[in-house]
């Protein structure tokens, strides 16, 4: 039996799960692509700044890379702002870091939601299927229950639970892995920010 025929046998909620799986795949691919790009751009900027030993040169590099990556936005608050109050500068950097992380986390809420609701949708489909099976039994005029018919109705009802788990489990795995990637990027940017704060203070 083909996957398409199983989906048809599972009913409308199986099509809902199929739609969720397509959306999940699109989000996952986009997030991995985007986070990989951000990491490379951050590293490129970090390497370029590492080669500079003068404040004016660092500022020039940041103007070239300004807005290109989250790290460039954060460090621009340090090197390209006019404020001399280091506490205000730190606060500005923290605000920028929070906004950049919010952008990086875009779409993660949907993955978390889908990983939770996919098994529930599957369970709902099974419950509805079982209700239908027992309604048919109670409405039957036959005195004896056909076991093969009963078993057939039950396995069809269980299809949505299988579908929900098949969608939900990989989604949860990808979500947790992406959260780990985000945490790594956040730690790397935090480390760079601390390093450049010390560097800025030594150069001014």
């Amino acid at each position: 039996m083909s996957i398409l025929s199983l989906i048809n046998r599972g009913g409308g909620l199986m099509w809902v799960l199929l739609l969720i799986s397509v959306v999940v795949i699109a989000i996952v691919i986009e997030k991995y692509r985007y986070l990989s790009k951000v990491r490379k751009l951050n590293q490129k900027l970090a390497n370029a700044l590492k080669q500079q030993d003068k404040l004016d040169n660092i500022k020039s590099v940041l103007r070239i890379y300004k807005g290109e990556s989250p790290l460039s936005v954060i460090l621009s608050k340090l090197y390209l702002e006019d404020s001399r109050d280091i506490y205000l500068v730190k606060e500005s950097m923290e605000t920028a870091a929070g906004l950049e992380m919010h952008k990086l986390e875009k779409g993660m809420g949907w993955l978390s939601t889908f990983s939770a609701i996919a098994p529930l949708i599957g369970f709902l489909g099974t419950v509805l299927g079982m209700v239908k099976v027992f309604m048919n039994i109670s409405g039957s005029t036959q005195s004896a229950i056909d076991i093969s018919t009963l078993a057939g109705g039950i396995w069809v009802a269980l299809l949505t639970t299988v579908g929900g788990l098949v969608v939900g489990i990989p989604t949860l795995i990808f979500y947790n892995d992406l959260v780990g990637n985000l945490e790594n990027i956040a730690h790397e940017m935090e480390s760079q920010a601390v390093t450049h704060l010390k560097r800025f203070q030594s150069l001014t």
Side-chain angles (χ1 to χ4, degrees):
M1 190 175 287
S2 68
I3 293 175
L4 187 60
S5 63
L6 287 174
I7 292 172
N8 281 325
R9 291 293 297 273
L13 289 179
M14 285 291 281
W15 289 102
V16 173
L17 289 170
L18 179 63
L19 177 61
I20 289 174
S21 69
V22 171
V23 174
V24 166
I25 290 170
I27 293 174
V28 166
I29 291 173
E30 172 58 22
K31 291 306 296 182
Y32 276 115
R33 185 198 66 78
Y34 181 55
L35 293 183
S36 175
K37 179 183 176 182
V38 165
R39 199 166 218 167
K40 288 176 182 177
L41 290 172
N42 279 348
Q43 190 58 51
K44 184 180 177 182
L45 175 61
N47 291 336
L49 292 175
K50 195 174 182 180
Q51 298 171 11
Q52 310 304 323
D53 55 2
K54 293 181 180 180
L55 187 58
D56 287 340
N57 292 343
I58 291 174
K59 289 181 178 181
S60 296
V61 170
L62 273 171
R63 287 190 183 98
I64 295 171
Y65 289 93
K66 189 175 182 181
E68 191 174 280
S69 69
L71 184 60
S72 70
V73 174
I74 296 167
L75 295 183
S76 292
K77 299 294 181 182
L78 174 63
Y79 289 109
L80 302 182
E81 296 291 329
D82 295 330
S83 177
R84 293 294 178 181
D85 189 330
I86 194 65
Y87 295 103
L88 288 177
V89 170
K90 285 181 181 179
E91 190 174 311
S92 180
M93 290 175 70
E94 288 172 2
T95 301
L99 290 172
E100 291 304 311
M101 284 306 300
H102 180 70
K103 292 177 185 177
L104 291 175
E105 290 167 356
K106 187 177 180 182
M108 294 296 290
W110 283 111
L111 285 183
S112 177
T113 300
F114 288 144
S115 69
I117 67 170
L120 293 177
I121 290 173
F123 182 62
L124 174 62
T126 293
V127 171
L128 292 175
M130 294 298 290
V131 168
K132 184 177 179 181
V133 168
F134 286 108
M135 283 178 66
N136 291 336
I137 292 173
S138 66
S140 176
T141 57
Q142 298 178 1
S143 57
I145 298 173
D146 187 344
I147 299 298
S148 62
T149 302
L150 178 61
I154 291 173
W155 81 257
V156 169
L158 289 171
L159 277 176
T160 52
T161 292
V162 174
L165 293 174
V166 167
V167 174
I169 291 173
T171 302
L172 182 59
I173 292 171
F174 283 123
Y175 172 77
N176 287 330
D177 186 57
L178 284 166
V179 167
N181 277 305
L182 281 167
E183 288 175 350
N184 289 336
I185 290 174
H187 289 319
E188 288 167 4
M189 292 196 298
E190 183 181 0
S191 177
Q192 285 291 327
V194 171
T195 299
H196 281 278
L197 265 171
K198 295 177 181 177
R199 195 175 181 188
F200 177 76
Q201 289 174 311
S202 68
L203 291 172
T204 54

